[in-house]
């Protein structure tokens, strides 16, 4: 492990996932570490760096059913109602959240698990794939004791003839993932249990140096606790809530995906125009931008959907407050990390804050309460913006009413070209198209999205989005 540890240390600020040779070796190191801890008599709650515990999970493992488990594991399923009736075993187990009890059979399994990763001939066989291979080579058997079924517990034989152990499948309603927490917002439903943990899966914004989308999701939900005080003590510009989004439309459970996507893209165009104006005003004034509320009228998934909802989330609410990575080229809004671990400025030189930034308790009252509300004319350049807002220079927050169309660019030609180029890059989002079952002439499940797999096959039609941002508005006459 010494060579691997040294290599990891050299990549302290890089995204290890992007290194296909080093990442599997890190998996070997990780599982080997679990085994060492188990051999010393310690029970292990292991979670990935992108998982957060909201409550102490240890008391749960002392409850009757879970006290019988040797290992407990989360899953990648997203259907909470179905999982609440019976654990969903068709989904992958996710080793980003796993509990191992210090027992001889668990230690034996951990060693087999480590060796499976270490000896894999394919780079894709990492700790999660190896865990699933070992535990599902024989279907897990529901556990019964004295003729009574023990809920959520299964008997497992690892590999062909490896260790036998009892496996608990953690309840999806309490161990949430990137879809159930940040898209379905299942924890906010009436009667929903308090989340035990959340894992940042199902996200779409891993930069080459950092998982920006995961950090931003945590910020949006008040779960990222390591920002420095300066993050909360600046001067900011934002859009009024009334005009930050288009009028809200409810999308019922039977909405046609095509209608939902149409309004989703209209909202996206409006959002882009709001953000581009705010970025221009922020740059002109030297202020950070508090992003507008972001509403999604359709889920974002790499497979087919009906009613703009993916299978397993048929009852989720639309619209929902969507994560930044669902609708924006998230890494481009943030600076790359330097070797000393600090984050540099963005190419545009304007920092951004999450839409609900002002709800964070770390924002000082002196900042939160220092708000100037302003209305601007249309088609103003940077100098005119600065002049119009000069009376509000002392305010911590300037809230612009109906900001779309107010900022037309910079008086300096070179600065204006750079702004147009940078913001076009930031606001152009190339993503997986919306793939929908409506209009498919009843294409069977597992049909291909967007085009037939072979001539004559049915397929699921697609709508591509998002468009490039609109040009900057024309400057008003005489400006």
């Amino acid at each position: 492990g010494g060579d691997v540890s040294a290599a990891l240390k050299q990549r302290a600020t890089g995204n290890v996932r992007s290194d296909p040779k080093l990442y599997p070796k890190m998996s070997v190191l990780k599982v080997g570490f679990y085994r060492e801890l188990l051999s010393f008599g310690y029970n292990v709650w292991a979670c990935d760096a992108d998982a957060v515990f909201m409550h102490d999970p240890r008391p749960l493992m002392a409850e009757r059913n879970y006290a019988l488990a040797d290992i407990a594991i989360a899953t990648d399923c997203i259907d909470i109602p179905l999982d609440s009736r019976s654990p969903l075993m068709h989904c992958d187990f996710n080793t980003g959240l796993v509990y191992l009890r210090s027992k001889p059979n668990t230690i034996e399994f951990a060693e087999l698990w480590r060796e499976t990763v270490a000896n894999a001939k394919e780079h894709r066989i990492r700790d999660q794939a190896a865990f699933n291979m070992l535990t599902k080579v024989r279907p897990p058997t529901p556990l019964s004791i004295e003729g009574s079924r023990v809920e959520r517990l299964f008997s497992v034989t690892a590999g062909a003839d490896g260790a036998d152990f009892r496996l608990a499948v953690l309840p999806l309603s309490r161990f949430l993932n990137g879809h159930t927490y940040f898209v379905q917002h299942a924890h906010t439903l009436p009667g929903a249990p308090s989340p035990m943990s959340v894992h940042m899966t199902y996200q779409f914004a891993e930069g080459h140096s950092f998982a920006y989308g995961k950090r931003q999701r945590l910020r949006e939900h008040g779960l990222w606790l390591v920002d420095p005080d300066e993050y909360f003590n600046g001067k900011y510009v934002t859009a009024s809530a009334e005009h930050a989004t288009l009028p809200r439309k409810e999308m019922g459970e039977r909405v046609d995906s095509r209608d939902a996507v149409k309004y989703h893209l209209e909202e996206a165009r409006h959002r882009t125009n709001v953000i581009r104006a705010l970025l221009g005003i922020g740059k002109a004034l030297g202020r950070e931008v508090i992003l507008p509320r972001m509403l999604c009228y359709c889920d974002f998934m790499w497979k087919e959907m009906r009613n703009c909802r993916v299978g397993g989330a048929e009852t989720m609410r639309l619209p929902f407050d969507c994560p930044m990575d669902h609708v924006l080229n998230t890494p481009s809004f943030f600076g790359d990390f330097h070797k000393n671990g600090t984050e540099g400025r963005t190419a545009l030189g304007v920092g951004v804050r999450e839409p609900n930034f002002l709800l964070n308790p770390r924002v000082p009252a002196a900042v939160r309460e220092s708000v100037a509300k302003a209305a601007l004319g249309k088609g103003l350049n940077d100098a005119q913006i600065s002049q119009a807002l000069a009376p509000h220079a002392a305010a911590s927050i300037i809230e612009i009413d109906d900001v779309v169309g107010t900022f037309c660019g910079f008086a300096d030609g070179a600065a204006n070209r750079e702004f147009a180029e940078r913001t076009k890059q930031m606001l152009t989002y190339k993503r997986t198209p919306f793939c929908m079952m409506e209009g498919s002439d009843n294409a069977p499940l597992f049909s291909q999205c967007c085009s037939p797999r072979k001539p004559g096959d049915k397929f699921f039609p697609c709508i591509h989005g998002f468009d490039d941002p609109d040009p900057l508005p024309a400057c008003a006459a005489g400006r």
Side-chain angles (χ1 to χ4, degrees):
D3 292 342
V4 177
S5 297
L8 289 169
K9 186 175 181 179
Q10 291 174 1
R11 291 181 52 91
T13 60
N15 190 342
V16 181
R17 191 185 295 270
S18 64
D19 190 327
K21 293 184 178 179
L22 185 58
Y23 190 47
K25 293 178 181 178
M26 188 186 74
S27 294
V28 176
L29 210 61
K30 179 170 69 172
V31 178
F33 181 54
Y34 300 164
R35 189 211 174 281
E36 289 299 305
L37 290 174
L38 292 167
S39 69
F40 293 143
Y42 293 106
N43 299 331
V44 175
W45 260 112
C47 70
D48 284 354
D50 65 344
V52 176
F53 282 110
M54 281 87 147
H55 297 285
D56 187 346
R58 290 174 295 181
L60 177 70
M61 300 312 296
E63 293 180 7
R64 180 184 175 274
N65 287 8
Y66 295 103
L68 299 173
D70 303 315
I71 299 174
I73 188 77
T75 78
D76 280 334
C77 281
I78 63 173
D79 192 333
I80 290 180
L82 201 57
D83 179 80
S84 297
R85 292 195 287 272
S86 181
L88 300 176
M89 304 297 286
H90 65 282
C91 300
D92 274 355
F93 296 135
N94 192 309
T95 54
L97 197 65
V98 60
Y99 174 82
L100 303 109
R101 202 183 301 274
S102 181
K103 297 175 65 176
N105 57 342
T106 309
I107 295 171
E108 182 184 348
F109 170 76
E111 179 59 25
L112 179 61
W113 184 13
R114 191 194 73 83
E115 289 298 317
T116 301
V117 181
N119 296 322
K121 292 183 172 57
E122 297 182 52
H123 288 311
R124 67 182 181 85
I125 306 300
R126 301 165 185 173
D127 56 290
Q128 181 162 309
F131 187 98
N132 279 275
M133 288 167 55
L134 290 171
T135 55
K136 293 185 176 182
V137 67
R138 298 180 183 178
T141 305
L143 180 66
S144 295
I145 297 178
E146 296 179 355
S148 297
R149 170 78 175 94
V150 184
E151 291 185 4
R152 308 199 71 87
L153 259 67
F154 296 83
S155 296
V156 173
T157 299
D161 53 0
D164 294 324
F165 61 90
R166 292 172 174 175
L167 177 70
V169 180
L170 296 168
L172 192 55
S173 61
R174 301 208 66 193
F175 294 85
L176 292 103
N177 57 44
H179 196 277
T180 55
Y181 192 90
F182 299 103
V183 176
Q184 296 182 46
H185 300 277
H187 58 292
T188 67
L189 290 168
S194 178
M196 187 73 73
S197 71
V198 59
H199 190 187
M200 254 52 62
T201 55
Y202 293 98
Q203 70 88 36
F204 303 92
E206 286 206 10
H208 68 276
S209 65
F210 190 75
Y212 295 95
K214 295 182 178 184
R215 181 183 64 180
Q216 200 63 9
R217 287 185 177 206
L218 291 168
R219 280 176 170 164
E220 290 163 355
H221 288 262
L223 298 172
W224 183 260
L225 307 179
V226 295
D227 280 317
D229 289 341
E230 308 89 78
Y231 185 83
F232 305 96
N233 282 279
K235 288 196 169 183
Y236 310 97
V237 62
T238 191
S240 65
E242 181 181 2
H243 295 103
T245 68
L246 295 178
R248 180 186 176 101
K249 290 184 180 181
E250 297 297 326
M251 300 289 167
E253 292 182 13
R254 303 179 75 85
V255 68
D256 189 298
S257 294
R258 293 164 288 193
D259 295 331
V261 169
K262 182 175 183 293
Y263 200 64
H264 184 89
L265 294 176
E266 290 175 14
E267 176 71 23
R269 181 175 294 278
H270 176 78
R271 179 190 309 114
T272 296
N273 289 329
V274 168
I275 294 174
R276 199 172 208 181
L278 287 174
L279 290 171
I281 296 170
K283 189 168 182 64
L285 301 181
R287 288 175 175 259
E288 312 294 295
V289 168
I290 301 175
L291 293 169
R293 185 183 188 184
M294 295 181 245
L295 288 178
C296 280
Y297 289 86
C298 191
D299 198 356
F300 180 4
M301 193 58 71
W302 51 83
K303 58 176 293 187
E304 72 278 1
M305 295 183 284
R306 186 186 295 280
N307 313 124
C308 254
R309 297 163 171 92
V310 72
E314 291 86 355
T315 60
M316 68 176 277
R317 295 163 290 182
L318 293 178
F320 61 92
D321 283 283
C322 43
M324 184 178 181
D325 59 272
H326 267 219
V327 293
L328 291 172
N329 177 15
T330 303
S332 70
F333 281 77
F334 302 99
D336 277 343
F337 281 81
H338 301 307
K339 288 187 177 181
N340 64 3
T342 61
E343 188 172 0
R345 292 184 64 77
T346 65
L348 186 64
V350 180
V352 297
R353 301 293 185 267
E354 57 275 16
N356 56 356
F357 170 73
L358 295 177
L359 298 179
N360 194 306
R362 291 186 62 192
V363 176
V367 173
R368 185 183 296 108
E369 296 168 6
S370 176
V371 181
K373 298 187 178 183
L376 294 170
K378 302 298 183 182
L380 304 179
N381 65 27
D382 61 312
Q384 294 158 337
I385 291 280
S386 297
Q387 182 179 7
L389 296 177
H392 308 303
S396 296
I397 302 157
I398 299 178
E399 181 185 296
I400 310 295
D401 183 55
D402 195 12
V403 73
V404 172
T406 58
F407 179 77
C408 68
F410 289 84
D412 179 80
N416 193 58
R417 287 190 294 274
E418 181 183 8
F419 177 81
E421 179 183 336
R422 296 290 188 194
T423 53
K424 181 178 181 181
Q425 176 194 8
M426 294 168 70
L427 295 168
T428 299
Y429 189 33
K430 301 301 182 185
R431 51 150 284 174
T432 305
F434 298 94
C435 176
M436 59 203 69
M437 300 175 78
E438 293 94 334
S440 68
D441 191 23
N442 295 315
L445 290 177
F446 308 110
S447 295
Q448 187 163 284
C449 288
C450 306
S451 61
R453 189 169 280 111
K454 62 179 187 295
D457 280 359
K458 292 183 178 182
F459 63 95
F460 297 119
C462 293
I463 296 177
H464 291 263
F466 298 84
D467 292 334
D468 289 347
D470 292 335
L472 287 167
C475 291
R479 292 173 176 164

